[in-house]
Amino acid sequence: MEVIKRLREEAFVKSTEDKLLSHAYIQAAEKGELSLTQKQSFAQEQYHIQLSDAISFATLSGHGDFAPDTLTNAAIPEAEPGKQDDLFQFLLGGEVYASSLLLKYAQSLGLDEDRLKSSRPSARAQAYPSYWARLALSKKRAAGAAACAINFPAWGRMCGRLLQALGEKDQMYSGIDDESLAFIKFFAVPIDGLDEMAAKIIDEERVSYDELVEHVRLLNEYEVMFWDAVFET
């Protein structure tokens, strides 16, 4: 837990939080000014990100043969013995579960799965999942766990603000409990025990602080790039 606490005190974490706090995408949503194209871009990029991240999380949890073309109806591999509470096994299940929720959000924007699948992803938006794939291929479980502890709460806060904004300002939706917003609502909820699950992996891997910090910094920067990309689409 000390490693996670130290990481949260890094200047780049504060810088990322400041950039996200005042990000133009969320500000536009809160003013009711997001265009349909900007909302569609979020759904399209997330479709590609979810599939990539699910495969990365599967690899990090010992399921190297998990490589579906879509998460729709994908079967979650059973946890390896002793890894039922593994962070990456948990995250894999979350991505598969949330994939159907994303389709509902996309449908509210006039997009079916074929259009999501054939959409042309942005290099800037996809830098984030691409780096997760790099961590997975390198078997850097500790770096991935540290990044989860630092980055996921920031992503969750952004989803929380987006949920509130769309629910209150966007006439397409009846409120924050609109089922079309369930994908955003799912990720807005903090993950119980996240720090503990991440710390367990960091402790097991026995890596130095210096072996973690740059990976965490890069994923924080890629998070900002994702929001930049879906706003500037």
Side-chain angles (χ1 to χ4, degrees):
M1 297 292 280
E2 286 301 315
V3 169
I4 294 173
K5 181 180 178 181
R6 184 178 170 188
L7 282 167
R8 288 196 172 119
E9 294 171 350
E10 289 281 351
F12 67 77
V13 175
K14 179 64 164 59
S15 175
T16 298
E17 290 176 349
D18 288 344
K19 290 175 183 176
L20 294 178
L21 182 65
S22 60
H23 200 279
Y25 192 93
I26 297 299
Q27 290 186 337
E30 291 172 338
K31 295 176 183 177
E33 296 176 353
L34 276 183
S35 69
L36 177 61
T37 299
Q38 288 170 320
K39 286 181 282 189
Q40 288 176 331
S41 179
F42 177 93
Q44 290 165 333
E45 298 297 346
Q46 279 298 312
Y47 182 82
H48 297 294
I49 289 171
Q50 272 209 296
L51 178 59
S52 180
D53 281 356
I55 293 171
S56 295
F57 297 152
T59 300
L60 287 165
S61 57
H63 307 298
D65 57 348
F66 181 83
D69 293 328
T70 172
L71 294 184
T72 300
N73 299 320
I76 303 171
E78 290 188 14
E80 294 185 343
K83 286 191 174 182
Q84 287 81 359
D85 61 347
D86 183 75
L87 172 61
F88 297 111
Q89 180 76 27
F90 173 81
L91 295 177
L92 168 60
E95 293 292 354
V96 173
Y97 170 79
S99 63
S100 63
L101 305 182
L102 178 61
L103 294 183
K104 290 181 181 179
Y105 179 59
Q107 287 168 4
S108 76
L109 304 172
L111 300 171
D112 60 17
E113 186 169 12
D114 286 340
R115 287 189 63 187
L116 291 173
K117 189 179 293 187
S118 64
S119 64
R120 191 174 189 179
S122 158
R124 285 193 298 167
Q126 297 302 312
Y128 181 90
S130 296
Y131 200 79
W132 266 112
R134 176 176 170 180
L135 293 179
L137 287 170
S138 303
K139 304 185 188 310
K140 294 191 180 297
R141 280 171 50 84
C148 288
I150 304 306
N151 176 251
F152 281 17
W155 160 249
R157 287 190 292 272
M158 290 293 278
C159 287
R161 290 177 64 192
L162 183 59
L163 173 67
Q164 198 75 24
L166 293 177
E168 294 180 355
K169 300 290 186 179
D170 197 312
Q171 295 183 354
M172 293 178 64
Y173 307 107
S174 60
I176 63 173
D177 293 323
D178 191 307
E179 66 175 16
S180 295
L181 299 178
F183 174 81
I184 300 170
K185 188 174 186 178
F186 175 78
F187 284 107
V189 177
I191 299 174
D192 288 338
L194 174 60
D195 284 2
E196 290 76 12
M197 288 189 287
K200 181 180 179 181
I201 291 176
I202 294 169
D203 291 343
E204 289 173 348
E205 295 294 306
R206 298 178 179 274
V207 296
S208 70
Y209 185 82
D210 288 344
E211 291 177 87
L212 302 176
V213 64
E214 286 305 297
H215 298 297
V216 177
R217 179 185 66 81
L218 284 169
L219 279 169
N220 266 251
E221 293 186 8
Y222 294 148
E223 171 80 18
V224 177
M225 286 171 59
F226 162 79
W227 291 102
D228 290 346
V230 296
F231 177 73
E232 297 170 12
T233 186

